[in-house]
Amino acid sequence: MFAVHLLAFHFTKLKEDQIKKVDRYLYHMRLSDDVLLDVMARFRAEMAKGLGRDTNSTATVKMLPSFVRSLPDGSEKGDFLAVDLGGSQFRALEVKVFNDGKQSSQLESKFYPTPKEVIQGSGTELFNYVADCLLDFMESKNLQHKKLPLGFTFSFPCKQTKLEEDIDVDVLAMVNDTVGTMMTCGYDDPRCEVGLIIGTGTNACYMEEMRHIDLVEGDEGRMCINTEWGAFGDDGALDDLRTEFDRELDLGSLNPGKQLFEKMISSLYLGELVRLILLKMTKEGLLFNGKVSTALLTKDKIEMKHVCAMEKYKEGLSNTKEILTELNLFPSEEDCIAVQHVCTIVSFRSANLCAAALAAILTRLRENKKVLRLRTTVGIDGGLYKTHPQYPKRLHKVVRRLVPNCDVRFLLSQSGSAKGAAMVTAVAYRLAAQRKQIDAVLAPFLLSLDTLREVKNKMRAELEYGLKRETQASATVKMLPTYVCGTPDGTESGKFLALDLGGTNFRVLLVKIRSGRRRSVQMYNKIFAIPLEIMQGTGEELFDHIVQCIADFLEYMGIKGARLPLGFTFSFPCRQASIDKGTLVGWTKGFKATDCEGEDVVDMLREAIRRRNEFDLDIVAVVNDTVGTMMTCGYEDPNCEIGLIAGTGSNVCYMEDMKNIEIVEGNEGKMCINTEWGGFGDNGCIDNIRTKYDKQVDEGSLNAGKQRYEKMTSGMYLGEIVRQILIDLTKQGLLFRGQISESLRKRGIFETKFLSQIESDRLALLQVRRILQQLGLDSTCEDSIIVKEVCGAVSRRAAQLCGAGLAAIVEKKRENRGVEHLQITVGVDGTLYKLHPHFSRVLQETVRELAPQCDVTFMLSEDGSGKGAALITAVAKRLHNIGRK
């Protein structure tokens, strides 16, 4: 028993001594974590160079766009052909993808040898041979009469310009084997966004953000990048890590100076690397008593299969002895231990370097997603990874050590890269079909110039109906006189109160206007909320609440005893008989207070003040916020004679010649007309451009059948139109995996501010996904692209329709003045115009297109509903005083 223990001790000591000897000899091949982190940083720098347009030409890691933009989502189905060309033989496959509740696939294939004369002949001969073999395969499966989509795995570096080529198939996807591996694994695991090959060659691909790929137009979504990382270090970046053995191997290769990283990693070279190390160690007398055999001198005599066999856990030493004996080296026990450790160091270095480059890719993915911790899957294929007994465990361990903030699953590709080519084709096929469906849904939102001209002409006709006595009652555009007969001239001065009621908040303001050379406007205001129960309660409750807010403000400012002139901004349709009399035509914007419609809102305010009996005010003017906007801008620019609101609601006012206003007495001068254009189309005149989504939004609103134009152009409704479209696309299986979430069912969830955020050019898709997640919508990258496209279609149509209506107004102003070319300023307010990234630009472009003889300046209003109300009150006071004189 003692003898057995002694023998074991002797063997362990012998093994340790041999390992130490080899470790000392191959010190430069043993890479510390610090070195690997440095390699990782170098590789990240090369990736950035490869992605840049100006630096790609000098990058060793070429970062080739694959034009594969989407991963499988489980909805793919159909029959697909695939061809896998990448070695001494190629494979033809038929892949059937099923999706009947549960995704599955069925694969049948046939291998064809590739004769040497074909491999080394012309390209035409090679592809003719491939086509003949494919036809043979199709005939054997009775597929020759079917036109099936074809995927082509071409396992060599390629610069692609697009995914489809012009041959007689529905869709042709040409993919690299690495991309094919990622797609194969992506079918089984949706988290798979990295492909890795570790075999005869080595390479990696991953899904990169489009905004980072300078070589491809567009910045929406993601695209798979084929790194072609085998050439990493070809510029000398790894020279400090390459050993004399690496240099000798490279010099003896078919492509000296190229693919240097691959030559340190892939199975094509590791056996030869081991041979060169053993040869030198033998010549130095460290192995085999210094006796070199002819076999050891022969290039490629040691292959990767030998290295794998020698590194096996239990039988490794006996395998080593057998292999070395076949090489006529007659090894001792010490030799076998040393040789086995040489193999371990060479293969371990391969796994370490591979792990460092992979860790760089994973870090980039994590940073692209802006997450503290990444959860992802790496799809892997390749003989070295599959057959080496220790390689996978070593690779996984090192990767997890280098990127501790990444939870990585390694998924072995079971069906090879050819199935991946079929999956790329299936995904492309799915996306093409989806594209047709999405285009069909959004087509009604794309308005031609002719359609917009038609809208402009119809708006012009409705403006005229509203101005005429005999047609005004039935006109949808009410053209309400405001009795504001002048714009500021700079002589206005004094203290004025302004009230602003137009939404869920109510403001009270004190405005001090100074005239003369140092003219200025100072404002003090306080905001009060209007609860929903007050908005939809009785009229008396609403006006009592307003007066309560005024009382609080007057006390806050210390002016409760002063009887100040007041302008009341009341942003709802009113029919005015004079500047201080306004009869409510009908509520909008969610208000439903009873006993108000048909009543004079100024009288209701005066009654509420009397009921409170605490203070008195001189109510001079009832003002629409649109008119206030025009007046605010008119104070700065005398050329401003149009006001536009593009926010929660939508409206326009303008200065009309009195002679054209039949519903008001007098022909001299001008008066501001509040168009209340939101009701345009209520008579059905624009039904041809209303979509089913517009009708759904209208039917679900508080005032069904009314304000149809406003419901297509204003912020209050655009988000709801988007929501209806998203529901429809989800029902068609084009969004959110076909699952309508509870949050998506909620009316009003999609506020207009989300449209503005989602359409922002500065916002990456990752941030769009976060917005959708806040709304309870769990979206993929592809979902985010579609949602952004839907938002864009809805908001663009709104801006164009608004522009068409405004073009009708400016054209009318031009004709009123009798000029060939009009110069005019439009004062604008509203969150949609101010905050949406594209609304203002599209609106202005539309006006230019439809009213080319009008030079329109757009001026942003500063507080039209507060400052504007005070200015109208001041102008009314000025004109009143002039009249008295």
Side-chain angles (χ1 to χ4, degrees):
M1 190 70 177
F2 175 74
V4 171
H5 282 301
L6 190 62
L7 193 62
F9 173 78
H10 171 72
F11 178 76
T12 303
K13 184 78 173 63
L14 182 70
K15 189 171 184 179
E16 284 175 359
D17 290 344
Q18 292 302 311
I19 286 172
K20 283 177 184 175
K21 178 176 77 174
V22 174
D23 281 346
R24 283 193 297 272
Y25 194 80
L26 298 178
Y27 173 77
H28 291 295
M29 280 192 161
R30 300 180 70 236
L31 307 177
S32 68
D33 279 3
D34 285 343
V35 171
L36 293 177
L37 287 168
D38 184 45
V39 171
M40 183 177 153
R42 295 183 211 181
F43 188 76
R44 287 195 68 193
E46 277 302 307
M47 289 172 74
K49 270 178 77 176
L51 288 170
R53 181 178 283 109
D54 298 331
T55 50
N56 176 269
S57 59
T58 59
T60 57
V61 180
K62 284 301 177 188
M63 306 294 282
L64 303 175
S66 69
F67 292 84
V68 172
R69 296 171 186 262
S70 183
L71 294 163
D73 70 355
S75 66
E76 293 79 14
K77 57 185 176 182
D79 286 10
F80 304 92
L81 290 172
V83 169
D84 184 10
L85 181 63
S88 57
Q89 57 180 0
F90 80 91
R91 194 161 53 135
L93 306 92
E94 180 192 9
V95 181
K96 294 183 178 181
V97 183
F98 306 99
N99 184 17
D100 38 9
K102 187 181 176 185
Q103 66 182 57
S104 60
S105 63
Q106 184 181 309
L107 186 148
E108 291 187 47
S109 66
K110 185 176 179 181
F111 284 93
Y112 292 87
T114 312
K116 196 170 182 180
E117 61 272 18
V118 170
I119 293 174
Q120 297 178 355
S122 69
T124 304
E125 289 171 335
L126 172 63
F127 285 98
N128 282 344
Y129 179 74
V130 170
D132 289 342
C133 294
L134 182 60
L135 181 60
D136 172 73
F137 176 74
M138 292 176 74
E139 286 174 347
S140 71
K141 300 293 177 187
N142 201 25
L143 300 172
Q144 68 272 29
H145 302 300
K146 290 185 180 179
K147 189 179 181 184
L148 296 180
L150 172 70
F152 182 23
T153 306
F154 190 71
S155 306
F156 306 96
C158 279
K159 259 187 190 170
Q160 280 181 249
T161 54
K162 59 180 180 176
L163 197 60
E164 298 171 12
E165 296 294 338
D166 186 23
I167 70 166
D168 188 24
V169 290
D170 287 337
V171 178
L172 171 63
M174 188 177 80
V175 297
N176 178 279
D177 56 343
T178 321
V179 180
T181 295
M182 180 188 74
M183 295 298 278
T184 299
C185 295
Y187 181 69
D188 298 315
D189 183 345
R191 289 187 186 276
C192 183
E193 51 192 341
V194 181
L196 178 61
I197 298 284
I198 315 170
T200 314
T202 182
N203 193 17
C205 69
Y206 73 103
M207 295 300 288
E208 177 61 86
E209 300 288 324
M210 279 289 289
R211 69 184 187 277
H212 295 150
I213 309 171
D214 289 352
L215 301 173
V216 178
E217 291 299 317
D219 59 1
E220 298 292 346
R222 301 198 298 171
M223 182 181 286
C224 179
I225 290 291
N226 168 24
T227 66
E228 287 297 337
W229 76 6
F232 176 42
D234 286 6
D235 59 352
L238 297 177
D239 280 2
D240 57 326
L241 300 179
R242 293 175 68 231
T243 65
E244 59 181 298
F245 308 109
D246 295 305
R247 292 186 175 88
E248 189 178 347
L249 180 144
D250 178 46
L251 287 172
S253 69
L254 291 170
N255 56 346
K258 294 181 179 178
Q259 298 296 105
L260 298 182
F261 189 61
E262 184 170 79
K263 287 170 184 172
M264 299 166 81
I265 290 178
S266 81
S267 63
L268 187 65
Y269 302 99
L270 296 193
E272 178 63 7
L273 207 51
V274 168
R275 185 190 72 84
L276 292 172
I277 295 167
L278 299 186
L279 179 60
K280 189 174 183 195
M281 288 182 75
T282 304
K283 285 180 177 178
E284 292 179 11
L286 297 172
L287 289 174
F288 316 125
N289 294 320
K291 293 176 182 175
V292 177
S293 69
T294 306
L296 192 57
L297 289 167
T298 306
K299 187 173 180 282
D300 295 330
K301 200 67 179 175
I302 297 178
E303 299 174 22
M304 195 63 220
K305 65 181 180 183
H306 299 130
V307 176
C308 291
M310 288 190 277
E311 282 197 72
K312 281 194 174 173
Y313 178 61
K314 288 183 177 175
E315 62 267 37
L317 279 177
S318 61
N319 288 343
T320 303
K321 186 170 185 178
E322 187 180 322
I323 289 163
L324 295 175
T325 303
E326 285 176 6
L327 295 172
N328 296 319
L329 289 168
F330 309 108
S332 65
E333 194 169 16
E334 292 96 321
D335 291 334
C336 290
I337 293 168
V339 170
Q340 188 183 50
H341 196 53
V342 167
C343 292
T344 299
I345 287 176
V346 169
S347 63
F348 214 134
R349 185 186 69 157
S350 166
N352 279 341
L353 289 171
C354 197
L358 180 58
I361 289 174
L362 294 170
T363 302
R364 185 170 179 90
L365 274 175
R366 185 180 64 79
E367 290 179 359
N368 281 352
K369 294 185 178 189
K370 292 182 171 62
V371 290
L372 293 174
R373 193 163 197 88
L374 175 72
R375 189 177 168 197
T376 193
T377 298
V378 177
I380 305 192
D381 204 351
L384 178 54
Y385 185 89
K386 284 180 174 178
T387 59
H388 191 287
Q390 310 297 331
Y391 202 99
K393 196 178 289 184
R394 290 171 186 167
L395 177 75
H396 303 172
K397 195 173 180 180
V398 179
V399 167
R400 287 172 181 138
R401 215 163 58 231
L402 294 178
V403 280
N405 47 7
C406 297
D407 297 322
V408 187
R409 180 190 180 204
F410 292 88
L411 182 61
L412 189 62
S413 173
Q414 298 296 337
S415 309
S417 54
K419 180 183 173 183
M423 290 315 306
V424 172
T425 310
V427 168
Y429 213 61
R430 165 174 63 80
L431 292 176
Q434 287 179 350
R435 183 72 263 162
K436 281 183 185 175
Q437 289 174 275
I438 293 165
D439 286 348
V441 166
L442 297 183
F445 290 87
L446 305 177
L447 304 180
S448 68
L449 207 54
D450 286 343
T451 300
L452 291 170
R453 282 196 191 95
E454 188 184 324
V455 171
K456 181 189 84 166
N457 295 336
K458 286 177 178 177
M459 175 66 84
R460 178 63 192 273
E462 290 295 319
L463 297 175
E464 301 294 351
Y465 292 152
L467 289 171
K468 288 184 168 45
R469 185 174 283 107
E470 65 269 19
T471 52
Q472 202 272 339
S474 61
T476 59
V477 180
K478 289 299 178 189
M479 304 296 282
L480 304 173
T482 64
Y483 295 86
V484 172
C485 297
T487 52
D489 66 0
T491 64
E492 296 78 15
S493 65
K495 290 182 182 178
F496 303 89
L497 274 181
L499 309 181
D500 176 16
L501 177 66
T504 53
N505 290 329
F506 169 66
R507 278 193 311 159
V508 187
L509 305 93
L510 174 65
V511 183
K512 295 179 181 179
I513 302 174
R514 180 185 288 176
S515 62
R517 192 178 300 170
R518 297 177 62 192
R519 72 179 193 151
S520 64
V521 178
Q522 284 181 293
M523 293 191 295
Y524 309 88
N525 73 86
K526 199 169 183 184
I527 298 172
F528 302 89
I530 298 186
L532 187 65
E533 60 270 21
I534 298 279
M535 286 171 65
Q536 299 184 3
T538 67
E540 192 170 294
E541 287 168 343
L542 174 63
F543 281 91
D544 282 348
H545 179 76
I546 289 169
V547 171
Q548 169 72 57
C549 297
I550 296 170
D552 290 351
F553 179 77
L554 294 175
E555 197 161 313
Y556 173 73
M557 295 299 297
I559 53 173
K560 210 165 190 178
R563 190 174 187 270
L564 296 175
L566 179 143
F568 183 14
T569 301
F570 189 75
S571 305
F572 302 93
C574 277
R575 187 171 282 107
Q576 287 184 249
S578 65
I579 197 165
D580 65 347
K581 288 189 178 298
T583 303
L584 176 63
V585 175
W587 286 117
T588 58
K589 305 176 193 175
F591 276 75
K592 292 285 277 187
T594 59
D595 305 320
C596 293
E597 293 181 2
E599 298 295 326
D600 184 344
V601 294
V602 176
D603 285 346
M604 293 185 81
L605 179 60
R606 284 184 179 133
E607 282 296 322
I609 291 171
R610 270 198 290 274
R611 277 196 299 275
R612 191 168 184 88
N613 197 27
E614 281 184 27
F615 56 86
D616 194 19
L617 297 171
D618 177 18
I619 304 172
V620 174
V622 60
V623 183
N624 180 277
D625 57 344
T626 321
V627 183
T629 294
M630 181 188 75
M631 294 296 272
T632 302
C633 294
Y635 185 71
E636 307 294 335
D637 180 354
N639 207 27
C640 180
E641 291 197 352
I642 300 174
L644 167 67
I645 296 285
T648 310
S650 177
N651 195 18
V652 160
C653 71
Y654 73 102
M655 296 302 290
E656 178 60 89
D657 293 350
M658 283 290 290
K659 66 179 184 288
N660 296 330
I661 311 171
E662 294 184 6
I663 51 177
V664 176
E665 294 299 318
N667 287 318
E668 297 300 317
K670 295 179 181 177
M671 181 184 287
C672 181
I673 291 291
N674 168 23
T675 66
E676 287 298 338
W677 76 0
F680 175 48
D682 287 1
N683 58 359
C685 70
I686 56 170
D687 278 2
N688 61 312
I689 60 168
R690 289 178 75 227
T691 67
K692 66 177 181 179
Y693 311 107
D694 296 308
K695 290 168 186 170
Q696 286 165 349
V697 170
D698 179 41
E699 287 161 10
S701 68
L702 291 169
N703 57 346
K706 295 179 180 177
Q707 300 295 106
R708 289 181 178 179
Y709 183 65
E710 183 172 75
K711 286 169 185 171
M712 298 166 81
T713 56
S714 81
M716 186 167 187
Y717 300 99
L718 298 190
E720 186 59 15
I721 296 171
V722 167
R723 188 182 75 89
Q724 294 292 348
I725 297 170
L726 298 187
I727 286 173
D728 192 19
L729 291 174
T730 307
K731 283 178 180 175
Q732 294 183 47
L734 303 171
L735 268 181
F736 310 130
R737 300 174 188 86
Q739 302 297 313
I740 301 175
S741 63
E742 281 306 310
S743 55
L744 193 57
R745 295 180 198 276
K746 290 177 187 170
R747 184 173 296 279
I749 184 180
F750 229 94
E751 297 172 41
T752 303
K753 68 176 182 181
F754 295 130
L755 266 76
S756 298
Q757 290 169 6
I758 285 168
E759 286 190 69
S760 170
D761 293 329
R762 297 189 305 276
L763 212 60
L765 281 178
L766 183 67
Q767 291 160 296
V768 173
R769 286 181 73 181
R770 285 197 184 138
I771 291 168
L772 294 174
Q773 281 165 359
Q774 286 169 19
L775 296 171
L777 304 170
D778 186 19
S779 68
T780 63
C781 178
E782 287 75 23
D783 289 339
S784 301
I785 294 171
I786 295 169
V787 170
K788 192 168 185 177
E789 187 179 354
V790 169
C791 291
V794 171
S795 63
R796 181 175 178 79
R797 183 191 67 160
Q800 287 178 320
L801 287 174
C802 215
L806 189 57
I809 303 272
V810 296
E811 275 290 324
K812 181 164 184 18
K813 287 291 295 178
R814 186 182 67 79
E815 290 175 20
N816 282 356
R817 288 194 195 174
V819 294
E820 197 161 313
H821 193 85
L822 174 73
Q823 279 200 317
I824 196 164
T825 298
V826 176
V828 193
D829 204 351
T831 51
L832 191 57
Y833 187 92
K834 285 181 173 178
L835 301 181
H836 191 282
H838 309 300
F839 189 95
S840 59
R841 175 183 53 79
V842 175
L843 184 147
Q844 291 175 28
E845 286 172 358
T846 307
V847 172
R848 276 196 297 273
E849 287 267 18
L850 299 180
Q853 292 170 273
C854 302
D855 183 7
V856 183
T857 301
F858 289 83
M859 183 179 188
L860 276 177
S861 165
E862 291 179 24
D863 197 8
S865 50
K867 180 177 172 182
L871 283 166
I872 290 168
T873 305
V875 169
K877 276 287 189 187
R878 172 172 61 80
L879 295 175
H880 180 67
N881 291 336
I882 290 170
R884 284 169 63 184
K885 289 175 185 176

